[in-house]
Amino acid sequence: GAVVSQHPSRVICKSGTSVKIECRSLDFQATTMFWYRQFPKQSLMLMATSNEGSKATYEQGVEKDKFLINHASLTLSTLTVTSAHPEDSSFYICSARTGTPPYEQYFGPGTRLTVT
Amino acid sequence: AQSVTQLGSHVSVSEGALVLLRCNYSSSVPPYLFWYVQYPNQGLQLLLKYTTGATLVKGINGFEAEFKKSETSFHLTKPSAHMSDAAEYFCAVSEFSGNTPLVFGKGTRLSVIA
C-alpha cells in the first residue's frame, strides 16, 4: 500500500510557542488530506479537511486560528499549532486520500505533541 | 451523516478463545467499512476493509469481518486469540466510495488472558 509519513514523530514544546507538523504522501499525489486528533484512551476525532491549493475546512469546535493547515502541494500538508498550551497536548494523525474513486485513505504514523 | 457504534469498550478473552468485536454503522449510502488496530503509543494499522463485493472480508493476523447490510453491522472476529492481539480496535466508516473522511467508533480495548 501507499505510504504516508509524518514529521516529527514526537515533539515537546513550551507553552506559548508554535509547532509545525508535516504530513507527506510519499508515493502518490493526495489532493485531499485529513487531520485527526486523538486524546489518551479515546477515539480519533476529525479536525479538518485539507485540500491542495485551497483553504482547509474545519470541523465544528476546532479553532482555525489555532490550528493552521496548509496544503501547498499534492504531497504535503502541514498543521501548525499556534501558541500551544498544555491542553493541546495530544496525538495528531493525518491521512491522505487518493485522487480518483474508489478512494483510498492512508494514515500517517502520528505525532505525539506534549506542551509543557 | 455516517456514524459508528462499537458495543463494549473493553472485551476480555482467554488465549485461544474466539474474539468477537462488535460494530454497527449508520449510513445513508453504501458504506466503506474498516477495522483498524492500534497498539500503545503507535499509529493505526489497517486490519481489513469492505468496499464492495464479497461480504466476508479477510484481513491480516487471522481476522475477518462480515458486512451485513440488513443488520447494519460489521463485526470483527478471530477464531483463536493470541496474546499479541491485545490492543485497541477501531471500526470506521466512509461514504461515497471512500470520498468522505473516516468516522471512527469509540474503540474497543481487547485484553487477552493467558
Side-chain angles (χ1 to χ4, degrees), chain A residues 1-103:
Chain A
V3 178
V4 175
S5 69
Q6 277 186 245
H7 178 79
S9 57
R10 290 178 175 270
V11 57
I12 300 173
C13 71
K14 292 187 176 181
S15 187
T17 62
S18 295
V19 173
K20 179 183 286 188
I21 302 170
E22 293 185 349
C23 176
R24 291 181 185 274
S25 57
L26 298 185
D27 48 6
F28 68 100
Q29 293 184 331
T31 54
T32 301
M33 293 184 176
F34 304 104
W35 286 95
Y36 296 83
R37 182 175 183 177
Q38 185 180 31
F39 290 105
K41 300 187 186 301
Q42 294 189 29
S43 188
L44 282 77
M45 299 298 296
L46 180 68
M47 298 176 65
T49 299
S50 169
N51 293 299
E52 186 266 339
S54 64
K55 291 184 178 181
T57 302
Y58 291 82
E59 295 300 299
Q60 191 172 10
V62 177
E63 300 176 61
K64 61 180 181 181
D65 294 331
K66 180 166 191 61
F67 298 100
L68 300 179
I69 291 173
N70 183 275
H71 194 156
S73 78
L74 289 173
T75 59
L76 173 64
S77 176
T78 59
L79 168 67
T80 301
V81 183
T82 63
S83 186
H85 291 283
E87 57 266 31
D88 298 325
S89 298
S90 191
F91 194 50
Y92 293 88
I93 303 176
C94 72
S95 73
R97 196 199 72 191
T98 55
T100 55
Y103 301 99

